[in-house]
Each structure stands twice: as C-alpha cells, then as structure tokens.
Amino acid sequence: MAIERTFSIIKPDATARNLTGAINALIEKAGLRIVAQKRIRMTREQAETFYAVHKRRPFFEELVDFMISGPVVVQVLEGENAILKHREIIGATDPSKAADGTIRKLYAKSVCENSVHGSDTTETAVVEIAQFFSSNEIVG
Ligand code: GDP
C-alpha cells in the first residue's frame, strides 16, 4: 500500500486543555508519523481560506471565530493509508456520534469544538498541507 501524507490540526479547544501530547500519542499509536508540526495562531484570513468550502453554511462564522480563538497545532502525518487511517482515529464530526476510543469521542466538546481536523481526500490533503507548510519543513 502506498505511503500517504495527510494534514492534521489540533484545534483551540484541545490546545487550551493541554491535550497536544495526548492526541499525538494516539496518532503515533495508530502507526502515523508526525513529519511536520508547528504551533501557530491562525489569522482570520487563513481560517476563512482553510474552510472556504463551508462559506455558505450557517456555522461558518462560528467556526472561523473558534479556529482563531487560540493556538492550533498544524501537522503533516505520514504513513500507509494515512488519510483514511487518520479519519478513523479522529471519529465522526459530531462527538456524540463518534466511535469509542476515537479522539473526538475522548476529547471533543461539541460538534464545532471537536478538537481535531483531518483531510478527507488525497486532493484536499495536498492543498491543505501547502497552505501551511513549505516542502523543506516536512521531514519524513
Ligand atoms: P470534518 O471533516 O469532520 O471536520 O467535518 P466538516 O468538514 O463537515 O466540518 C468542518 C468543521 O466545521 C467541523 O470539524 C466542525 O468544527 C465544524 N462543524 C461542522 N458541522 C457543524 C455544525 O453543524 N455546527 C457547528 N457549529 N460547527 C460545525
């Protein structure tokens, strides 16, 4: 199976509760390697670009406000089948529907403040990684 890269964010609700290490432990336990990582404060413009696909959704403004409300940790993860594997350990968007043992089931506060992001396709992974990392910042 091909080695893939995916884009991950540890969101402000999780950094606020000092959960970066706990979430990274679950990522690494699943066999994914953290090949790039930085803690940043997203600008409103960055958050709006990142979630542009949701621009017309009623929760867009709330989502952007949340994403810039505190620090986030942006990451590139690498491994076999990384995109699907990461989505599996993240769990469903709504934590009340997420499977036991998933990051969102364990840590998310609500459907908006749901602790983590993971790319959903190969195409979005490429675009999302390029928004936050240059190639020389990714060390596999
Ligand atoms: P994901 O791929 O599982 O992150 O889900 P989506 O791409 O559908 O949504 C992007 C993000 O928007 C989610 O991770 C949540 O933070 C937020 N979100 C999604 N649905 C809702 C909603 O119904 N209400 C609110 N307030 N936020 C939402």
Side-chain angles (χ1 to χ4, degrees), residues 11 51 54 59 62-63 87 93 104 111-112 114 117:
K11 294 184 178 181
Y51 279 123
H54 294 309
F59 58 81
E62 183 189 345
L63 175 59
R87 291 291 303 195
T93 309
R104 284 170 169 166
V111 68
C112 184
N114 61 3
H117 165 83

Side-chain angles (χ1 to χ4, degrees), residues 7-12 15 38-52 60 63-75 115-118 127-129 131-133:
F7 181 69
S8 159
I9 304 177
I10 300 176
K11 294 184 178 181
T15 61
K38 57 190 172 191
R39 181 171 164 113
I40 61 166
R41 190 79 182 236
M42 263 195 208
T43 63
R44 181 171 292 276
E45 190 184 12
Q46 279 178 312
E48 285 176 353
T49 300
F50 186 75
Y51 279 123
F60 181 70
L63 175 59
V64 169
D65 285 346
F66 164 58
M67 291 301 290
I68 66 174
S69 67
V72 298
V73 178
V74 290
Q75 304 174 308
S115 303
V116 281
H117 165 83
V127 172
E128 291 174 358
I129 289 169
Q131 189 187 343
F132 292 96
F133 291 98

Side-chain angles (χ1 to χ4, degrees), residues 23-33 77-82 85-86 88-90 103:
I23 290 171
N24 279 349
L26 292 171
I27 289 169
E28 291 184 332
K29 192 168 160 225
L32 296 168
R33 306 178 74 81
L77 311 180
E78 185 178 88
E80 280 185 9
N81 215 8
K85 194 178 277 181
H86 186 227
E88 277 173 8
I89 65 163
I90 282 176
I103 294 169

